[in-house]
PDB file of all heavy atoms in Angstrom:
ATOM      1  N   PHE A 399       4.488 -16.807  -1.088  1.00  0.00           N
ATOM      2  CA  PHE A 399       3.728 -16.176  -2.168  1.00  0.00           C
ATOM      3  C   PHE A 399       4.247 -16.732  -3.491  1.00  0.00           C
ATOM      4  O   PHE A 399       5.436 -16.993  -3.642  1.00  0.00           O
ATOM      5  CB  PHE A 399       3.916 -14.654  -2.178  1.00  0.00           C
ATOM      6  CG  PHE A 399       3.276 -13.929  -1.019  1.00  0.00           C
ATOM      7  CD1 PHE A 399       3.405 -12.545  -0.908  1.00  0.00           C
ATOM      8  CD2 PHE A 399       2.554 -14.591  -0.045  1.00  0.00           C
ATOM      9  CE1 PHE A 399       2.835 -11.856   0.149  1.00  0.00           C
ATOM     10  CE2 PHE A 399       1.988 -13.908   1.019  1.00  0.00           C
ATOM     11  CZ  PHE A 399       2.125 -12.542   1.114  1.00  0.00           C
ATOM     12  N   PRO A 400       3.326 -16.861  -4.482  1.00  0.00           N
ATOM     13  CA  PRO A 400       3.741 -17.455  -5.753  1.00  0.00           C
ATOM     14  C   PRO A 400       4.771 -16.638  -6.525  1.00  0.00           C
ATOM     15  O   PRO A 400       5.640 -17.193  -7.165  1.00  0.00           O
ATOM     16  CB  PRO A 400       2.438 -17.564  -6.545  1.00  0.00           C
ATOM     17  CG  PRO A 400       1.456 -16.703  -5.836  1.00  0.00           C
ATOM     18  CD  PRO A 400       1.885 -16.600  -4.417  1.00  0.00           C
ATOM     19  N   GLY A 401       4.722 -15.324  -6.495  1.00  0.00           N
ATOM     20  CA  GLY A 401       5.674 -14.537  -7.285  1.00  0.00           C
ATOM     21  C   GLY A 401       6.006 -13.235  -6.600  1.00  0.00           C
ATOM     22  O   GLY A 401       6.013 -13.164  -5.379  1.00  0.00           O
ATOM     23  N   PHE A 402       6.268 -12.225  -7.393  1.00  0.00           N
ATOM     24  CA  PHE A 402       6.665 -10.925  -6.843  1.00  0.00           C
ATOM     25  C   PHE A 402       5.482 -10.230  -6.168  1.00  0.00           C
ATOM     26  O   PHE A 402       5.655  -9.479  -5.214  1.00  0.00           O
ATOM     27  CB  PHE A 402       7.225 -10.037  -7.953  1.00  0.00           C
ATOM     28  CG  PHE A 402       7.735  -8.725  -7.445  1.00  0.00           C
ATOM     29  CD1 PHE A 402       8.943  -8.662  -6.753  1.00  0.00           C
ATOM     30  CD2 PHE A 402       7.017  -7.557  -7.635  1.00  0.00           C
ATOM     31  CE1 PHE A 402       9.414  -7.449  -6.266  1.00  0.00           C
ATOM     32  CE2 PHE A 402       7.482  -6.349  -7.158  1.00  0.00           C
ATOM     33  CZ  PHE A 402       8.688  -6.295  -6.473  1.00  0.00           C
ATOM     34  N   GLU A 403       4.273 -10.526  -6.695  1.00  0.00           N
ATOM     35  CA  GLU A 403       3.073  -9.886  -6.165  1.00  0.00           C
ATOM     36  C   GLU A 403       2.975 -10.129  -4.657  1.00  0.00           C
ATOM     37  O   GLU A 403       3.186 -11.236  -4.187  1.00  0.00           O
ATOM     38  CB  GLU A 403       1.828 -10.464  -6.849  1.00  0.00           C
ATOM     39  CG  GLU A 403       0.669  -9.498  -6.872  1.00  0.00           C
ATOM     40  CD  GLU A 403      -0.550 -10.122  -7.531  1.00  0.00           C
ATOM     41  OE1 GLU A 403      -0.352 -10.927  -8.459  1.00  0.00           O
ATOM     42  OE2 GLU A 403      -1.652  -9.824  -7.086  1.00  0.00           O
ATOM     43  N   GLY A 404       2.654  -9.123  -3.904  1.00  0.00           N
ATOM     44  CA  GLY A 404       2.595  -9.284  -2.454  1.00  0.00           C
ATOM     45  C   GLY A 404       3.783  -8.630  -1.774  1.00  0.00           C
ATOM     46  O   GLY A 404       3.631  -8.066  -0.700  1.00  0.00           O
ATOM     47  N   PHE A 405       4.947  -8.714  -2.405  1.00  0.00           N
ATOM     48  CA  PHE A 405       6.130  -8.098  -1.794  1.00  0.00           C
ATOM     49  C   PHE A 405       5.994  -6.578  -1.730  1.00  0.00           C
ATOM     50  O   PHE A 405       6.484  -5.946  -0.793  1.00  0.00           O
ATOM     51  CB  PHE A 405       7.400  -8.497  -2.564  1.00  0.00           C
ATOM     52  CG  PHE A 405       7.928  -9.843  -2.140  1.00  0.00           C
ATOM     53  CD1 PHE A 405       7.346 -11.014  -2.610  1.00  0.00           C
ATOM     54  CD2 PHE A 405       8.991  -9.947  -1.264  1.00  0.00           C
ATOM     55  CE1 PHE A 405       7.810 -12.254  -2.211  1.00  0.00           C
ATOM     56  CE2 PHE A 405       9.467 -11.191  -0.855  1.00  0.00           C
ATOM     57  CZ  PHE A 405       8.877 -12.341  -1.334  1.00  0.00           C
ATOM     58  N   ASP A 406       5.308  -5.990  -2.748  1.00  0.00           N
ATOM     59  CA  ASP A 406       5.022  -4.549  -2.737  1.00  0.00           C
ATOM     60  C   ASP A 406       4.246  -4.150  -1.494  1.00  0.00           C
ATOM     61  O   ASP A 406       4.577  -3.177  -0.824  1.00  0.00           O
ATOM     62  CB  ASP A 406       4.153  -4.197  -3.953  1.00  0.00           C
ATOM     63  CG  ASP A 406       4.975  -3.514  -5.021  1.00  0.00           C
ATOM     64  OD1 ASP A 406       6.070  -3.030  -4.699  1.00  0.00           O
ATOM     65  OD2 ASP A 406       4.504  -3.469  -6.172  1.00  0.00           O
ATOM     66  N   LYS A 407       3.193  -4.915  -1.212  1.00  0.00           N
ATOM     67  CA  LYS A 407       2.330  -4.623  -0.050  1.00  0.00           C
ATOM     68  C   LYS A 407       3.113  -4.811   1.248  1.00  0.00           C
ATOM     69  O   LYS A 407       2.981  -4.034   2.192  1.00  0.00           O
ATOM     70  CB  LYS A 407       1.109  -5.538  -0.056  1.00  0.00           C
ATOM     71  CG  LYS A 407       0.034  -5.110  -1.001  1.00  0.00           C
ATOM     72  CD  LYS A 407      -1.339  -5.641  -0.533  1.00  0.00           C
ATOM     73  CE  LYS A 407      -2.420  -5.247  -1.516  1.00  0.00           C
ATOM     74  NZ  LYS A 407      -2.281  -5.989  -2.814  1.00  0.00           N
ATOM     75  N   VAL A 408       3.882  -5.887   1.292  1.00  0.00           N
ATOM     76  CA  VAL A 408       4.704  -6.160   2.474  1.00  0.00           C
ATOM     77  C   VAL A 408       5.700  -5.014   2.692  1.00  0.00           C
ATOM     78  O   VAL A 408       5.889  -4.543   3.818  1.00  0.00           O
ATOM     79  CB  VAL A 408       5.419  -7.522   2.328  1.00  0.00           C
ATOM     80  CG1 VAL A 408       6.559  -7.668   3.322  1.00  0.00           C
ATOM     81  CG2 VAL A 408       4.414  -8.659   2.526  1.00  0.00           C
ATOM     82  N   PHE A 409       6.310  -4.545   1.602  1.00  0.00           N
ATOM     83  CA  PHE A 409       7.261  -3.438   1.723  1.00  0.00           C
ATOM     84  C   PHE A 409       6.573  -2.194   2.281  1.00  0.00           C
ATOM     85  O   PHE A 409       7.095  -1.531   3.189  1.00  0.00           O
ATOM     86  CB  PHE A 409       7.911  -3.103   0.374  1.00  0.00           C
ATOM     87  CG  PHE A 409       8.929  -2.001   0.492  1.00  0.00           C
ATOM     88  CD1 PHE A 409      10.246  -2.300   0.805  1.00  0.00           C
ATOM     89  CD2 PHE A 409       8.572  -0.662   0.352  1.00  0.00           C
ATOM     90  CE1 PHE A 409      11.186  -1.284   0.975  1.00  0.00           C
ATOM     91  CE2 PHE A 409       9.506   0.351   0.521  1.00  0.00           C
ATOM     92  CZ  PHE A 409      10.817   0.039   0.827  1.00  0.00           C
ATOM     93  N   GLU A 410       5.400  -1.875   1.727  1.00  0.00           N
ATOM     94  CA  GLU A 410       4.681  -0.664   2.156  1.00  0.00           C
ATOM     95  C   GLU A 410       4.339  -0.732   3.646  1.00  0.00           C
ATOM     96  O   GLU A 410       4.539   0.228   4.392  1.00  0.00           O
ATOM     97  CB  GLU A 410       3.410  -0.513   1.329  1.00  0.00           C
ATOM     98  CG  GLU A 410       2.674   0.789   1.592  1.00  0.00           C
ATOM     99  CD  GLU A 410       1.367   0.841   0.814  1.00  0.00           C
ATOM    100  OE1 GLU A 410       1.382   0.544  -0.391  1.00  0.00           O
ATOM    101  OE2 GLU A 410       0.340   1.162   1.435  1.00  0.00           O
ATOM    102  N   MET A 411       3.836  -1.891   4.064  1.00  0.00           N
ATOM    103  CA  MET A 411       3.484  -2.074   5.479  1.00  0.00           C
ATOM    104  C   MET A 411       4.717  -1.919   6.360  1.00  0.00           C
ATOM    105  O   MET A 411       4.690  -1.225   7.392  1.00  0.00           O
ATOM    106  CB  MET A 411       2.866  -3.465   5.657  1.00  0.00           C
ATOM    107  CG  MET A 411       2.489  -3.804   7.068  1.00  0.00           C
ATOM    108  SD  MET A 411       1.641  -5.405   7.122  1.00  0.00           S
ATOM    109  CE  MET A 411       1.242  -5.468   8.874  1.00  0.00           C
ATOM    110  N   ILE A 412       5.809  -2.558   5.969  1.00  0.00           N
ATOM    111  CA  ILE A 412       7.045  -2.489   6.752  1.00  0.00           C
ATOM    112  C   ILE A 412       7.557  -1.056   6.814  1.00  0.00           C
ATOM    113  O   ILE A 412       7.943  -0.565   7.879  1.00  0.00           O
ATOM    114  CB  ILE A 412       8.109  -3.449   6.158  1.00  0.00           C
ATOM    115  CG1 ILE A 412       7.736  -4.899   6.497  1.00  0.00           C
ATOM    116  CG2 ILE A 412       9.505  -3.108   6.668  1.00  0.00           C
ATOM    117  CD1 ILE A 412       8.624  -5.960   5.871  1.00  0.00           C
ATOM    118  N   LYS A 413       7.522  -0.343   5.692  1.00  0.00           N
ATOM    119  CA  LYS A 413       8.041   1.037   5.665  1.00  0.00           C
ATOM    120  C   LYS A 413       7.251   1.944   6.622  1.00  0.00           C
ATOM    121  O   LYS A 413       7.830   2.668   7.428  1.00  0.00           O
ATOM    122  CB  LYS A 413       7.995   1.593   4.243  1.00  0.00           C
ATOM    123  CG  LYS A 413       8.591   2.995   4.123  1.00  0.00           C
ATOM    124  CD  LYS A 413       8.719   3.401   2.665  1.00  0.00           C
ATOM    125  CE  LYS A 413       8.916   4.885   2.487  1.00  0.00           C
ATOM    126  NZ  LYS A 413      10.141   5.440   3.034  1.00  0.00           N
ATOM    127  N   ILE A 414       5.934   1.871   6.533  1.00  0.00           N
ATOM    128  CA  ILE A 414       5.086   2.715   7.388  1.00  0.00           C
ATOM    129  C   ILE A 414       5.346   2.392   8.864  1.00  0.00           C
ATOM    130  O   ILE A 414       5.574   3.285   9.684  1.00  0.00           O
ATOM    131  CB  ILE A 414       3.596   2.524   7.015  1.00  0.00           C
ATOM    132  CG1 ILE A 414       3.317   3.209   5.677  1.00  0.00           C
ATOM    133  CG2 ILE A 414       2.682   3.075   8.115  1.00  0.00           C
ATOM    134  CD1 ILE A 414       1.983   2.853   5.057  1.00  0.00           C
ATOM    135  N   CYS A 415       5.322   1.112   9.203  1.00  0.00           N
ATOM    136  CA  CYS A 415       5.450   0.725  10.612  1.00  0.00           C
ATOM    137  C   CYS A 415       6.855   0.993  11.153  1.00  0.00           C
ATOM    138  O   CYS A 415       7.001   1.460  12.287  1.00  0.00           O
ATOM    139  CB  CYS A 415       5.076  -0.745  10.787  1.00  0.00           C
ATOM    140  SG  CYS A 415       3.332  -1.084  10.479  1.00  0.00           S
ATOM    141  N   VAL A 416       7.890   0.706  10.362  1.00  0.00           N
ATOM    142  CA  VAL A 416       9.264   0.934  10.843  1.00  0.00           C
ATOM    143  C   VAL A 416       9.478   2.423  11.101  1.00  0.00           C
ATOM    144  O   VAL A 416      10.051   2.813  12.126  1.00  0.00           O
ATOM    145  CB  VAL A 416      10.303   0.395   9.830  1.00  0.00           C
ATOM    146  CG1 VAL A 416      11.691   0.937  10.123  1.00  0.00           C
ATOM    147  CG2 VAL A 416      10.321  -1.131   9.854  1.00  0.00           C
ATOM    148  N   GLU A 417       9.010   3.267  10.188  1.00  0.00           N
ATOM    149  CA  GLU A 417       9.227   4.706  10.380  1.00  0.00           C
ATOM    150  C   GLU A 417       8.453   5.227  11.592  1.00  0.00           C
ATOM    151  O   GLU A 417       8.973   6.030  12.370  1.00  0.00           O
ATOM    152  CB  GLU A 417       8.885   5.467   9.093  1.00  0.00           C
ATOM    153  CG  GLU A 417       9.890   5.111   8.004  1.00  0.00           C
ATOM    154  CD  GLU A 417       9.789   5.930   6.724  1.00  0.00           C
ATOM    155  OE1 GLU A 417       8.839   6.741   6.599  1.00  0.00           O
ATOM    156  OE2 GLU A 417      10.647   5.740   5.857  1.00  0.00           O
ATOM    157  N   ASN A 418       7.227   4.765  11.766  1.00  0.00           N
ATOM    158  CA  ASN A 418       6.459   5.153  12.964  1.00  0.00           C
ATOM    159  C   ASN A 418       7.159   4.689  14.236  1.00  0.00           C
ATOM    160  O   ASN A 418       7.263   5.429  15.227  1.00  0.00           O
ATOM    161  CB  ASN A 418       5.056   4.548  12.932  1.00  0.00           C
ATOM    162  CG  ASN A 418       4.132   5.276  11.964  1.00  0.00           C
ATOM    163  OD1 ASN A 418       4.371   6.432  11.639  1.00  0.00           O
ATOM    164  ND2 ASN A 418       3.106   4.590  11.525  1.00  0.00           N
ATOM    165  N   LEU A 419       7.627   3.460  14.218  1.00  0.00           N
ATOM    166  CA  LEU A 419       8.327   2.902  15.384  1.00  0.00           C
ATOM    167  C   LEU A 419       9.550   3.741  15.739  1.00  0.00           C
ATOM    168  O   LEU A 419       9.758   4.101  16.900  1.00  0.00           O
ATOM    169  CB  LEU A 419       8.748   1.459  15.073  1.00  0.00           C
ATOM    170  CG  LEU A 419       9.665   0.810  16.101  1.00  0.00           C
ATOM    171  CD1 LEU A 419       8.837   0.174  17.203  1.00  0.00           C
ATOM    172  CD2 LEU A 419      10.563  -0.245  15.479  1.00  0.00           C
ATOM    173  N   LEU A 420      10.370   4.051  14.740  1.00  0.00           N
ATOM    174  CA  LEU A 420      11.592   4.805  15.013  1.00  0.00           C
ATOM    175  C   LEU A 420      11.265   6.212  15.505  1.00  0.00           C
ATOM    176  O   LEU A 420      11.928   6.736  16.401  1.00  0.00           O
ATOM    177  CB  LEU A 420      12.490   4.841  13.770  1.00  0.00           C
ATOM    178  CG  LEU A 420      13.038   3.480  13.308  1.00  0.00           C
ATOM    179  CD1 LEU A 420      13.972   3.639  12.124  1.00  0.00           C
ATOM    180  CD2 LEU A 420      13.743   2.732  14.438  1.00  0.00           C
ATOM    181  N   LYS A 421      10.230   6.830  14.929  1.00  0.00           N
ATOM    182  CA  LYS A 421       9.826   8.176  15.399  1.00  0.00           C
ATOM    183  C   LYS A 421       9.448   8.147  16.859  1.00  0.00           C
ATOM    184  O   LYS A 421       9.757   9.059  17.617  1.00  0.00           O
ATOM    185  CB  LYS A 421       8.631   8.677  14.571  1.00  0.00           C
ATOM    186  CG  LYS A 421       9.028   9.337  13.263  1.00  0.00           C
ATOM    187  CD  LYS A 421       7.806   9.755  12.474  1.00  0.00           C
ATOM    188  CE  LYS A 421       8.193   9.868  11.006  1.00  0.00           C
ATOM    189  NZ  LYS A 421       7.038   9.728  10.105  1.00  0.00           N
ATOM    190  N   GLN A 422       8.791   7.067  17.277  1.00  0.00           N
ATOM    191  CA  GLN A 422       8.330   6.979  18.677  1.00  0.00           C
ATOM    192  C   GLN A 422       9.419   6.556  19.652  1.00  0.00           C
ATOM    193  O   GLN A 422       9.475   7.030  20.773  1.00  0.00           O
ATOM    194  CB  GLN A 422       7.209   5.943  18.785  1.00  0.00           C
ATOM    195  CG  GLN A 422       5.843   6.477  18.466  1.00  0.00           C
ATOM    196  CD  GLN A 422       4.787   5.428  18.759  1.00  0.00           C
ATOM    197  OE1 GLN A 422       4.816   4.756  19.786  1.00  0.00           O
ATOM    198  NE2 GLN A 422       3.841   5.278  17.860  1.00  0.00           N
ATOM    199  N   LYS A 423      10.252   5.630  19.236  1.00  0.00           N
ATOM    200  CA  LYS A 423      11.112   4.934  20.198  1.00  0.00           C
ATOM    201  C   LYS A 423      12.577   5.371  20.193  1.00  0.00           C
ATOM    202  O   LYS A 423      13.309   5.059  21.116  1.00  0.00           O
ATOM    203  CB  LYS A 423      11.067   3.422  19.930  1.00  0.00           C
ATOM    204  CG  LYS A 423       9.698   2.799  20.138  1.00  0.00           C
ATOM    205  CD  LYS A 423       9.408   2.627  21.602  1.00  0.00           C
ATOM    206  CE  LYS A 423       8.081   1.972  21.862  1.00  0.00           C
ATOM    207  NZ  LYS A 423       7.776   1.905  23.293  1.00  0.00           N
TER     208      LYS A 423
END
Side-chain angles (χ1 to χ4, degrees):
F399 290 179
F402 184 75
E403 207 181 327
F405 277 79
D406 256 342
K407 281 205 182 70
V408 164
F409 182 88
E410 186 184 312
M411 179 175 183
I412 286 175
K413 183 171 163 64
I414 287 168
C415 293
V416 165
E417 293 188 354
N418 284 337
L419 171 87
L420 296 183
K421 276 178 203 157
Q422 275 187 44
K423 296 283 182 184

